[in-house]
Amino acid sequence: MEDPVTPSDARLWQKVRQKSPTKQHKEKPSAVNESSAQKEFENKKMQWAQIMVFCLTYAMYSSMYFSRKPFSVVKGMMAKDLNLTTSDLGNVDTSFLAFYAVGQFTLPQLGERLGARRMLTLIGLTACIASAIFSSTSSVIVFLLFNGLSGYMQSAAFPLCMKALAPWFPARVRGRVLGLWTTCQQIGGVLSTSFAGYVAVTYDWETTFFYSAIPILIMTVALWILLIERPEDIGLTSPAAGSKKTIENEAEQKVASFWEVLNIEGIRPLGASYFCIKLVRYTLMFWLPFYMAQAHGLDAAQAAYMSTLFDIGGIFGSLLCGYLSDTVFPGRRLLVSVGMSIGCALALLSFGVLPGMSGFTLGLMLLLIGIMVAGPDSVLGGASTQDMCERSGTSDTALSTACGITNGMGSLGSMIQGPLSAFLVDAFGWNGLFIALGCVCIAGAMAVLPLGLQIERDRQKEKLKSG
């Protein structure tokens, strides 16, 4: 027979029941606050890490121009002091571009194995050594060999910077982030040219090469010490994770071969388009001052200052393309590139068919062309290539190699622009050159238009399924 429950027992039980929820109620906010504080700490930690990785890779790639630009600044001084011919100087330029193109097809796979931090450090040290050797030799053969070696190693710098940035930023902001990041090409070019010009005038060409190695060494050491390759290395989750085709078991991943990467959907069209865009961009970089001196009667200084409008336009073009592809036309990065390529073509064709322009109109056209050509240039070899790797589920195993292939095909365009431009100007004049460049821009747009439309169709299908 069960013991009867007394009134005192019932009152005691009621008190216990009343206290228990109160205790739970008091503990719950504490757990929530703890979780909220932890999440806020991780968000701040992620933001600081993102800023650090962005700034380190930005400054590192900018510093590469301190090994590329000084030679173009001191060519005249070297030709006079060493009795070098124009052909000798041209061969030194070609050695860099040729090995740069070869390296972009072959070297990024080594970067996949060694990692971005180690490989970028090796690249920086090689560039420093090459610059130091340039400052202490007078042999054309030595210039050819070490400029070629420097070009070969630097060919992997851009793909490896893309690899370092990839895990830190989600796809929804990739266009803006890489649009801002690619301005390092214009900033690095302006800073290195100004620095080399000042040192050359103040001292001599030998000192120019030696001092130009110092910024590279500083950034190489900083990157080696500070670069964090993956968020997981500091206990964070990658914001780029979550792609539907991402391979989950990283232990089973292996580096994709060159031919496997070449067969990834979209890599070949991206490379073909980048070939066209880089051919146009490098032609304008190398020939605009000469064109303005010949066709518009400007002196060397005026032509140089006027040509910087093209670089300034490039900064705005990179930022504009990133903003449009992320915010105004999200998911349509290639279609934005197509539109800007056609805009560049129209501007170039106007150079070839319109009568002589005033100085103000010429400046506006250079600014516009710089904006339009920099847009596709900023996304084809980086953000769009990364999109294709994520689309195929190979972003962890093939990104450096994929960027190497697209940038390598682009470098082939920059390599052939010299003799091709000279031939076109001799045969058809400056108008013929600009008309040809306009047609090349249209070809670049057409190369990726079917891919861009296919991605848009797939995006609409996904939207209908999820809706």
Side-chain angles (χ1 to χ4, degrees), residues 50 54 162-163 165-182 238-243 246 318-319 321-327 330-331 333 375 378-392 395-396 399 403:
Q50 287 174 325
F54 182 94
M162 294 298 101
K163 180 178 176 64
L165 290 166
W168 292 96
F169 299 97
R172 68 178 183 274
V173 299
R174 186 173 298 148
R176 279 170 288 175
V177 169
L178 296 186
L180 177 60
W181 188 91
T182 51
S238 171
S243 173
T246 300
S318 296
L319 297 174
C321 187
Y323 173 77
L324 290 176
S325 62
D326 279 349
T327 306
R333 207 183 314 278
S378 69
V379 301
L380 290 173
S384 292
T385 301
Q386 189 175 339
D387 290 343
M388 291 301 102
C389 288
E390 283 191 0
R391 185 175 165 89
S392 66
S395 57
D396 288 331
L399 180 57
C403 287

Side-chain angles (χ1 to χ4, degrees), residues 98-111:
F99 279 93
Y100 191 91
V102 172
Q104 287 195 311
F105 287 109
T106 60
L107 201 55
Q109 279 190 300
L110 180 60

Side-chain angles (χ1 to χ4, degrees), residues 15-249:
K15 287 181 180 179
V16 169
R17 291 185 65 186
Q18 287 174 349
K19 286 182 180 180
S20 182
T22 305
K23 186 178 180 182
Q24 291 175 4
H25 181 69
K26 287 180 180 177
E27 289 178 355
K28 192 172 181 183
S30 175
V32 170
N33 291 337
E34 217 175 282
S35 175
S36 177
Q38 177 67 18
K39 189 173 182 180
E40 185 179 352
F41 171 75
E42 289 181 355
N43 287 340
K44 288 184 177 179
K45 188 177 179 181
M46 174 63 74
Q47 289 171 0
W48 278 108
Q50 287 174 325
I51 292 170
M52 179 178 290
V53 172
F54 182 94
C55 290
L56 282 172
T57 53
Y58 188 100
M60 182 64 184
Y61 198 77
S62 296
S63 74
M64 291 293 100
Y65 284 83
F66 282 81
S67 72
R68 302 178 190 181
K69 286 287 189 175
F71 182 70
S72 64
V73 173
V74 300
K75 275 180 180 177
M77 301 170 70
M78 291 177 65
K80 183 178 178 181
D81 291 351
L82 303 178
N83 293 320
L84 301 179
T85 65
T86 304
S87 177
D88 292 332
L89 298 173
N91 288 337
V92 175
D93 274 336
T94 302
S95 69
F96 182 92
L97 292 172
F99 279 93
Y100 191 91
V102 172
Q104 287 195 311
F105 287 109
T106 60
L107 201 55
Q109 279 190 300
L110 180 60
E112 296 282 5
R113 292 180 170 85
L114 294 181
R117 177 170 160 267
R118 291 180 181 177
M119 195 65 188
L120 284 170
T121 301
L122 182 60
I123 291 168
L125 292 176
T126 304
C128 286
I129 292 169
S131 293
I133 289 174
F134 289 166
S135 69
S136 58
T137 186
S138 59
S139 169
V140 176
I141 300 299
V142 173
F143 280 117
L144 287 170
L145 289 175
F146 280 91
N147 209 32
L149 175 63
S150 183
Y152 182 76
M153 293 300 293
Q154 288 186 47
S155 66
F158 185 89
L160 287 166
C161 286
M162 294 298 101
K163 180 178 176 64
L165 290 166
W168 292 96
F169 299 97
R172 68 178 183 274
V173 299
R174 186 173 298 148
R176 279 170 288 175
V177 169
L178 296 186
L180 177 60
W181 188 91
T182 51
T183 62
C184 66
Q185 298 174 89
Q186 288 83 16
I187 297 297
V190 170
L191 291 177
S192 59
T193 301
S194 303
F195 180 81
Y198 171 77
V199 176
V201 171
T202 307
Y203 301 100
D204 49 44
W205 64 265
E206 294 98 332
T207 308
T208 302
F209 283 119
F210 186 80
Y211 280 8
S212 294
I214 296 174
I216 308 172
L217 181 60
I218 292 171
M219 284 317 309
T220 300
V221 173
L223 183 132
W224 170 256
I225 295 172
L226 299 174
L227 183 66
I228 305 165
E229 294 194 61
R230 301 183 65 82
E232 291 80 4
D233 295 340
I234 54 172
L236 298 173
T237 301
S238 171
S243 173
K244 64 178 182 178
K245 292 188 178 181
T246 300
I247 301 171
E248 295 180 359
N249 188 0

